[in-house]
Structures are given as structure tokens and as C-alpha cells.
Amino acid sequence: MIRLCIWNEFRHELREPVKSLYPEGIHRAIADGIDCEGIDIRFATLDDPEQGLSDEILNNTDVLIWWAHLAHREVADSLAAKIRDRVLAGMGLIVLHSGHMSKIFQAVMGTSCTLRWRQIGEKERLWTVDPSHPIVKGVPETFTLEHEEMYGEPFGIPDDGKIVFMSWFAGGDVFRSGVTFQRGAGKVFYFAPGHETFPTYYDRNVLKVISNAVRWAAPAEYFPIECRKWAEPEEKVQ
Ligand code: ZN
């Protein structure tokens, strides 16, 4: 079983207009919508004890999904560092939408992660860039979201990202909306759709992408981060 933890800030859903759209929270909408076969799901939110991620929970998570937008700064630096180390050791990380400005995404990217944005509810069209990638399996070559927040270039991510999806917006912008990275032993996927006032996490294509991404990001094994103390030579050295 893949041990998936869906971490959600879970503040905006406590009030309208988001409350009506995601009454149980974005985390539960995602859990209800993805293909759960072989996946064991737990939830964590910012206002849970230890901000939802105790050592015990983090050390028993294979893939972490991260959604947040209002309270990035409230996440403890020490927690972001612990999550980063867990990613480097092999845990998969899926960062959704406004999670691009989270401490954990910035920590694993090492860059600003900034972008252009516009919230007028315009149409977004996503295009599959790499039809061979496991994340796009069963996803149409192109699909639309009738209303989304525009995220546009330049996007402050490193150049080693592998682009899986590109988006076009009705206002004319384009964006690298699905990008994968390898950080240490961990796989990282950033996926842009998911503004909280739109029903994006009920869209079957978006849910299919997230389902695939969880399976893609799950580690086969972990590689603890350590500098070994002394390496004996394998060959006789003069
Ligand atoms: Zn948004």
C-alpha cells in the first residue's frame, strides 16, 4: 500500500464562498475523487497538533500532497526542513496550485517559485507535453477547465524540471502547469490547477492526474541522508 498523506491548510473552506464548494475541505474532495486502489489515505491540516505532521506521521508517509495559500508563513521552518529531508530520502511530494509559494516547495526548488497570476475565472486549456509519462496515462492529450485562476510565466522554478503539462489561458498567457523534479531520492510533481473558488478538484481529468502522480511519486525504497563516517578502500592503496 502507498501511504498517502493529504496536507491541506484548511482555513479558507471554513468560510464562504469556498465552504459551499468544498464543505469537507479540499483534502477530502481530493481523497473522494482519486482512485484509491492500493492507496492508504490520511489527512493533515495546518491547525492539527504539530501542524498535522508529527515525526511519526511524516515517517510513515510515502507520498505527501500539499495545498495551501493563505498561511504559508505559519508553517514552521523546522517542519519544512523535516519534510525536505524526508523528500531527499525518497518520499514523493505533490504540490498543488498555490502551494508554489510554500516553504517546502521553495526549499526543494531552491528558487523563488514566483509567477504571474490573474483571478478572473478564465478558461484554461491544458496540453500533454509528454504522452509517455506515467502521470498522463488515461488523460486526454488536451482538456479544459472552464474557470481557473491564471498562472503565467515567468515561473521561478529551476530548469531541471521535466514538463508534463503546458497550459494556455483565455487571456493569452501560457504556463508550465505540470512539472516533475527529482530531489535526492524523492520525486516531486508540481500541478497548477486548483483555485479554491472553482470546482477543479471535482474534474475527472484533474483527479486522474493526481491519482497517477501519487503512484508515480511513491518510492520503491528509502535512502537515509547520512555522511558515512569512514570508507575503507576496496583496493590496496600504496
Ligand atoms: Zn488560487
Side-chain angles (χ1 to χ4, degrees):
M1 295 290 279
I2 298 170
R3 299 168 297 176
L4 170 66
C5 180
I6 305 178
W7 191 97
N8 181 19
E9 190 177 275
F10 197 36
R11 292 267 179 87
H12 213 152
E13 296 98 320
L14 302 179
R15 61 179 197 259
E16 297 297 354
V18 188
K19 190 176 178 181
S20 299
L21 190 56
Y22 295 109
E24 305 293 325
I26 283 172
H27 50 305
R28 290 189 184 271
I30 291 171
D32 289 346
I34 63 173
D35 169 13
C36 295
E37 192 181 341
I39 298 176
D40 184 35
I41 301 179
R42 79 190 306 164
F43 302 111
T45 69
L46 180 61
D47 294 318
D48 286 347
E50 300 188 61
Q51 300 191 321
L53 290 173
S54 65
D55 288 352
E56 193 271 333
I57 293 173
L58 190 56
N59 291 334
N60 286 284
T61 296
D62 297 318
V63 178
L64 179 66
I65 290 178
W66 195 272
W67 194 101
H69 79 140
L70 294 172
H72 296 312
R73 287 170 184 270
E74 291 185 39
V75 174
D77 291 340
S78 57
L79 177 60
K82 276 196 278 195
I83 300 169
R84 178 202 61 208
D85 286 353
R86 177 85 177 151
V87 171
L88 295 177
M91 182 182 76
L93 176 66
I94 299 169
V95 174
L96 299 173
H97 189 58
S98 39
H100 71 93
M101 288 302 282
S102 63
K103 288 182 180 178
I104 178 55
F105 191 56
Q106 290 177 329
V108 294
M109 293 295 102
T111 53
S112 69
C113 303
T114 50
L115 44 73
R116 298 174 66 245
W117 63 275
R118 174 174 64 239
Q119 210 315 74
I120 56 170
E122 67 206 86
K123 179 168 152 180
E124 175 176 3
R125 176 173 286 281
L126 291 97
W127 284 93
T128 298
V129 174
D130 179 2
S132 71
H133 200 285
I135 287 179
V136 310
K137 192 175 179 198
V139 179
E141 183 177 48
T142 182
F143 64 95
T144 59
L145 300 166
E146 282 308 308
H147 304 286
E148 249 305 342
E149 181 177 15
M150 188 285 292
Y151 276 6
E153 302 284 344
F155 185 18
I157 52 174
D159 286 341
D160 65 317
K162 180 166 178 46
I163 303 170
V164 179
F165 291 105
M166 285 287 301
S167 281
W168 167 90
F169 290 86
D173 297 80
V174 294
F175 188 62
R176 290 169 285 170
S177 52
V179 190
T180 67
F181 300 87
Q182 181 83 30
R183 289 294 180 266
K187 296 191 180 91
V188 179
F189 179 52
Y190 174 74
F191 191 47
H195 187 69
E196 67 278 358
T197 58
F198 302 122
T200 302
Y201 295 119
Y202 298 109
D203 181 90
R204 65 187 172 89
N205 292 315
V206 167
L207 293 165
K208 182 69 177 167
V209 169
I210 296 172
S211 298
N212 289 343
V214 170
R215 289 165 176 83
W216 168 82
E221 62 180 303
Y222 287 91
F223 298 86
I225 305 168
E226 55 182 356
C227 273
R228 297 185 200 175
K229 283 189 178 127
W230 179 259
E232 287 295 334
E234 296 293 333
E235 304 278 349
K236 186 170 174 26
V237 181
Q238 294 293 339

